[in-house]
């Protein structure tokens, strides 16, 4: 397989996960600045697909531009794995799904947070509970986790929804009813296109869902979801890796998110299937449509 975009997530997670996976061998990469020793490098995906015999590609670039990269790969007959968010618009991802279907290749829109250890047991526990309220708090320091990533506050960069969409990927996975957006406010720094904070009122069945995203959180960082039910409150913390059921101690397990994504990619390819769930992106898109946007003071990294 090949990989495109050698930035933070490629180095932190994708390269180790591919190296440890028995089904994939990294044969090529496309990157303008990055280098990987002993692997053939190209400037971009068009050069890479034109030259090498590859079966699959993993796109680890920012979301803006991923549509063109994915389409190039699909048209070259490659199976494609997309980092989250899968595209900047819903119509882009619909077009990619159609292109993959016509080309007979697998398209896998990944949501790594869904692979966190607490998510599957949370989903199972919530399946037959009555949900009465949900609180989602995703607060992290942009300067600590995304140093110098100017793209994240640009058009199509998602701003605080870049991490926030991870929370929505978990919520759409574990809650037994569809979520929808009722109202929202977004704080966009002067001169930037994407928000640093958002407060969203959603609903899940009859239950209110309050969502708080903050990209300026210093001190303790929070990635938590609390679900009140008729049988008590379920808590997911640390991005889904810690689960606490009512009356029980916290459980936590080692992070296996990316190894699980590559194992799933391999299964999908073997089965001739795609996996594209746009629900988290749809909630972000709806929020951007109806939010009251407030311009806040300029931001510098
Ligand atoms: P990053 O560190 O900025 O790396 C992205 C890489 O993509 C860059 O190094 C650049 O590398 C390449 N690229 C291609 N076109 C680009 C463009 N127009 N602008 C900027 N870079 C471009 O970003 P990242 O944190 O790895 O995030 C990439 C994707 O992974 C995002 O969708 C993000 O949501 C997702 N993700 C990130 C994290 C995290 O903790 N950072 C976690 C999970 C998922 P080249 O020089 O190689 O072209």
């Amino acid at each position: 397989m090949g990989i495109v975009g050698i930035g933070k997530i490629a180095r932190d997670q994708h390269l180790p996960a591919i190296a440890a996976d028995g089904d994939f061998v990294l044969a090529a990469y496309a990157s303008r600045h990055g280098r990987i020793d002993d692997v053939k490098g190209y400037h971009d995906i068009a050069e890479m697909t034109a030259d090498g015999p590859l079966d699959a590609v993993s796109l680890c670039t920012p979301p803006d531009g991923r549509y063109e990269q994915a389409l190039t790969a699909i048209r070259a007959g490659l199976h494609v794995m997309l980092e989250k968010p899968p595209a900047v618009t819903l119509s882009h991802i619909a077009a990619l799904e159609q292109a993959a279907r016509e080309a007979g290749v697998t398209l896998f829109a990944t949501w790594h947070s869904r692979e966190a250890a607490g998510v599957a047991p949370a989903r199972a526990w919530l399946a037959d509970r009555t949900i009465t309220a949900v609180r989602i708090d995703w607060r992290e320091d942009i300067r600590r986790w995304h140093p110098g990533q100017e793209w994240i506050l640009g058009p199509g960069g998602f701003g605080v929804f870049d991490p926030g969409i991870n929370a929505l990927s978990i919520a759409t996975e574990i809650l037994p009813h569809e979520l929808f957006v009722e109202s929202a406010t977004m704080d966009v720094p002067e001169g930037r296109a994407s928000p640093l904070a958002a407060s969203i009122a959603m609903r899940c069945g009859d239950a209110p869902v309050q969502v708080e995203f903050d990209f300026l959180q210093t001190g303790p960082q929070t990635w938590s979801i609390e679900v009140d039910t008729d049988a008590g409150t379920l808590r997911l913390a640390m991005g889904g890796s810690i689960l606490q059921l009512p009356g029980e101690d916290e459980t936590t397990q080692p992070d296996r998110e990316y190894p699980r994504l590559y194992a799933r990619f391999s299964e999908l390819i073997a089965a001739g299937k795609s996996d594209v769930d746009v629900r988290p992106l749809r909630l972000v898109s709806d929020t951007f449509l109806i939010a009251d946007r407030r311009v806040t003071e300029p931001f510098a990294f």
Side-chain angles (χ1 to χ4, degrees), residues 36-53:
I36 304 175
D37 290 343
D38 304 323
V39 180
K40 197 159 184 192
Y42 300 87
H43 179 264
D44 55 43
I45 189 166
E47 273 185 19
M48 187 171 85
T49 52
D51 188 38

Side-chain angles (χ1 to χ4, degrees), residues 224-240:
S224 74
I225 298 178
E226 294 185 344
V227 186
D228 296 341
T229 76
D230 55 341
T233 298
L234 173 149
R235 292 188 178 82
L236 278 172
M238 292 307 291

Side-chain angles (χ1 to χ4, degrees), residues 4-14 29-35 42-44 59-66 69 82-86 110 112-113 140 145-152 157-158 161-163 165-166 257-258:
V4 182
I6 308 300
K8 185 172 189 314
I9 199 60
R11 290 197 186 280
D12 287 358
Q13 298 286 352
H14 289 261
Y29 67 91
S31 172
R32 299 162 308 174
H33 312 98
R35 293 289 168 269
Y42 300 87
H43 179 264
D44 55 43
L59 302 186
C60 306
T61 48
D64 192 17
R66 207 176 283 145
Q69 295 159 0
L82 304 173
E83 249 302 348
K84 47 62 56 171
T110 66
H112 68 88
S113 293
E140 66 178 54
W145 302 103
H146 306 272
Q149 290 183 354
E150 294 284 341
W151 60 264
I152 219 165
F158 286 73
F161 287 83
D162 178 82
I165 202 169
N166 296 333
E257 293 180 14
Y258 281 80

Side-chain angles (χ1 to χ4, degrees), residues 171-228:
T172 47
E173 178 75 1
I174 64 173
L175 294 172
H177 302 288
E178 289 298 324
L179 286 155
F180 58 91
V181 181
E182 291 192 315
S183 63
T185 56
M186 296 196 313
D187 292 347
V188 183
E190 189 185 336
R192 303 278 189 171
S194 295
L196 277 176
S199 179
I200 314 161
M202 296 190 188
R203 196 156 279 275
C204 171
D206 292 332
V209 179
Q210 188 56 41
V211 181
E212 300 295 337
F213 293 157
D214 186 357
F215 233 164
L216 296 177
Q217 172 81 14
T218 52
Q221 309 281 289
T222 305
W223 302 279
S224 74
I225 298 178
E226 294 185 344
V227 186
D228 296 341

